[in-house]
């Protein structure tokens, strides 16, 4: 049977009011009485129910999610998951605010992070742009005792609290293995695409992809990376131009978004001329493209899991609790035409 506050009071020989003051860090307790309560807590193995204590105090957790303001399908899905969490959070004494910043804009992201610092909120989750000034802003928040979770894309060498996202290097290596096996002996070049090399997730995916292609499929030439800034129109333009300039593109790996533009460019090609295509995130557009065999494989991450993970970590850190690493691991799903959910 778990010890209660009544057991602590009896063991320490103090009143329930004194136990309550000590457990909740309130003033008005003599040092000797505080020491007795703390000794009783340790002797009895009492584990405080932080959630219940916060409920009793009427505490509200104040969290902010900062997302890039673009129209790619995955970010829109992530936005919906944050909005759903905000609706649920009201019942769990969490105030969750969603704020937009321009995509791939370090200065705008720094301004949004500094606003969190000025407001003194409990925690922030954001899609990181891997830039020194963003790293410094995140570190300022951590130094102020504010929990910081990077979401989807991490922030190298920062003091951030946690990263809620997949292992992007492993995702890129997986894409490289799939590409090499799908191509087999088919000759031709491989074209890599990214949204921007300013974000770590795209960079790590491409590094993993090119590493595996070099290690296991070394005879395959890989073209320079094209950056479509997650914009469908720009991605379509770049892909169409590359196909016209480089005869014999056998494979395309898209490490970022803007996939609606890529799919439209592919739909303009004859079936015989279509390259092997591997990209990220299962969206209505990529699902339809898989069904029509315009693309070959999709690597997916669960946006809902990432948002829930970020909130669990933010809340745990606000309460001073440990994070359960296994619970927060985000897996990589691989979808083909044959196993679409």
């Amino acid at each position: 049977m778990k010890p209660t506050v009544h057991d602590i009071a009896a063991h320490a020989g103090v009143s329930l009011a004194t136990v309550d003051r000590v457990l909740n860090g309130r003033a008005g307790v003599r040092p000797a009485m505080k020491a007795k309560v703390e000794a009783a807590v340790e002797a009895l193995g009492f584990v405080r129910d932080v959630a219940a204590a916060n409920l009793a105090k009427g505490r509200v957790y104040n969290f902010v999610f900062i997302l890039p303001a673009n129209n790619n399908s995955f970010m829109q899905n992530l936005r919906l998951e944050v909005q759903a969490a905000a609706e649920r959070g009201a019942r769990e004494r969490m105030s969750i605010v969603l704020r937009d910043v321009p995509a791939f804009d370090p200065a705008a992201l720094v301004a949004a992070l500094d606003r969190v610092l000025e407001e003194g909120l409990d925690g922030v989750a954001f899609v990181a742009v891997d830039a020194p000034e963003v790293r410094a802003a995140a570190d300022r928040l951590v130094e102020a005792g504010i929990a910081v979770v990077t979401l989807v894309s991490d922030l190298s060498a920062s003091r951030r609290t946690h990263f809620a996202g997949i292992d992007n290097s492993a995702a890129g290596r997986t894409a490289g293995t799939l590409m090499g096996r799908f191509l087999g002996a088919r000759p031709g070049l491989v074209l890599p695409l990214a949204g921007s090399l300013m974000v770590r997730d795209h960079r790590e995916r491409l590094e993993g992809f090119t590493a595996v292609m070099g290690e296991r499929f070394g005879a395959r030439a890989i073209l320079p990376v094209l950056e479509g800034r997650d914009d469908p129109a720009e991605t379509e333009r770049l892909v169409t131009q590359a196909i016209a300039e480089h005869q014999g593109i056998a494979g395309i790996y898209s490490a970022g978004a803007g996939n609606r533009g890529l799919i439209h460019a592919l739909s303009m090609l004859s079936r015989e001329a279509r390259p092997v295509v591997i990209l990220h995130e299962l969206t209505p557009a990529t699902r339809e493209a898989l069904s029509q065999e315009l693309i070959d494989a999709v690597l997916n991450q669960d946006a809902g899991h990432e948002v829930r993970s970020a909130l669990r970590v933010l809340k745990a850190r606000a309460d001073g609790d440990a994070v359960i690493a296994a619970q927060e691991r985000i897996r990589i799903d691989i979808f083909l035409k044959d196993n679409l959910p």
Side-chain angles (χ1 to χ4, degrees), residues 62-66 82 86 95-99 115 121:
N62 292 290
F63 301 136
V64 170
F65 280 73
I66 302 172
V82 173
S95 170
I96 301 169
V97 175
L98 174 60
R99 292 174 183 166
R115 178 181 173 186
L121 305 181

Side-chain angles (χ1 to χ4, degrees), residues 206-252:
L206 289 166
E207 288 169 355
F209 178 81
T210 55
V212 166
M213 292 297 291
E215 293 162 7
R216 301 178 59 185
F217 313 100
R220 184 74 58 178
I222 300 178
L223 292 167
V225 178
L226 299 180
E227 297 179 66
R229 300 190 66 81
D230 285 355
D231 178 77
E234 177 65 5
T235 300
E236 180 177 357
R237 185 189 70 79
L238 290 172
V239 170
T240 301
Q241 180 177 319
I243 290 172
E245 291 179 355
H246 302 281
Q247 296 299 318
I249 290 180
I252 297 177

Side-chain angles (χ1 to χ4, degrees), residues 76-86 88 302-305 307-308 311:
Q76 291 299 323
N77 188 25
L78 193 68
R79 183 179 308 278
L80 291 174
E81 293 290 350
V82 173
Q83 291 169 345
R88 296 192 302 270
D302 187 331
H305 189 180
V307 170
R308 293 190 297 273
L311 284 171

Side-chain angles (χ1 to χ4, degrees), residues 17-327:
T18 298
V19 173
D20 177 72
R21 288 192 185 96
V22 173
L23 291 180
N24 290 293
R26 291 196 286 269
V29 182
R30 296 196 307 273
M33 293 296 100
K34 181 180 179 183
K36 284 185 177 182
V37 172
E38 290 173 345
V41 167
E42 184 174 355
L44 296 172
F46 176 79
V47 178
R48 186 180 177 214
D49 187 339
V50 176
N54 285 334
L55 184 63
K57 291 186 291 183
R59 175 175 182 176
V60 174
Y61 300 88
N62 292 290
F63 301 136
V64 170
F65 280 73
I66 302 172
L67 302 184
N70 57 26
N71 67 349
N72 86 65
S73 299
F74 178 75
M75 284 300 167
Q76 291 299 323
N77 188 25
L78 193 68
R79 183 179 308 278
L80 291 174
E81 293 290 350
V82 173
Q83 291 169 345
E87 293 175 4
R88 296 192 302 270
R91 300 191 295 271
E92 301 170 11
R93 295 188 177 273
M94 288 191 291
S95 170
I96 301 169
V97 175
L98 174 60
R99 292 174 183 166
D100 291 333
V101 294
F104 311 122
D105 187 334
L109 182 53
V110 168
L113 293 172
D114 284 343
R115 178 181 173 186
V116 172
L117 182 61
E118 292 167 4
E119 293 170 336
L121 305 181
D122 294 303
V124 58
F126 65 98
V127 178
V129 176
D130 198 7
E133 58 268 40
V134 177
R135 191 176 310 123
D139 289 349
R140 288 195 292 272
L141 289 167
V142 174
E143 289 166 5
I146 297 172
V148 174
V149 172
T150 51
L151 192 65
V152 181
S153 185
D154 205 1
L155 190 57
S156 61
S158 71
R159 296 171 57 190
R160 57 99 174 114
T161 306
H162 181 76
F163 169 54
I166 61 173
D167 182 335
N168 285 294
S169 178
R173 292 183 67 86
T174 301
T177 298
L178 291 173
M179 180 65 75
R181 290 184 175 180
F182 285 176
L183 285 174
R186 177 178 173 178
L189 306 168
V190 171
L191 173 65
L193 303 173
S196 171
L197 296 179
M198 292 180 64
V199 289
R200 188 174 173 184
D201 59 331
H202 294 189
R203 200 166 62 243
E204 288 182 340
R205 291 173 189 177
L206 289 166
E207 288 169 355
F209 178 81
T210 55
V212 166
M213 292 297 291
E215 293 162 7
R216 301 178 59 185
F217 313 100
R220 184 74 58 178
I222 300 178
L223 292 167
V225 178
L226 299 180
E227 297 179 66
R229 300 190 66 81
D230 285 355
D231 178 77
E234 177 65 5
T235 300
E236 180 177 357
R237 185 189 70 79
L238 290 172
V239 170
T240 301
Q241 180 177 319
I243 290 172
E245 291 179 355
H246 302 281
Q247 296 299 318
I249 290 180
I252 297 177
Y253 171 49
S254 176
N259 287 322
R260 293 195 305 276
L262 168 59
I263 291 166
H264 190 260
L266 295 169
S267 71
M268 298 294 103
L269 302 176
S270 67
R271 181 176 292 274
E272 295 73 21
R274 286 176 195 163
V276 170
V277 179
I278 298 169
L279 45 73
H280 285 261
E281 314 317 343
L282 189 63
T283 65
T286 60
R287 176 189 291 273
E288 181 64 19
L290 269 180
S291 298
Q292 295 181 1
E293 299 183 342
L294 289 171
I295 63 176
D296 297 272
V298 173
L299 304 181
N300 189 62
Q301 57 188 315
D302 187 331
H305 189 180
E306 289 171 338
V307 170
R308 293 190 297 273
S309 175
L311 284 171
R312 281 194 297 266
V313 171
L314 291 174
K315 189 170 180 294
R317 288 304 168 93
D319 289 335
D321 289 342
V323 173
I324 303 172
Q327 186 179 21

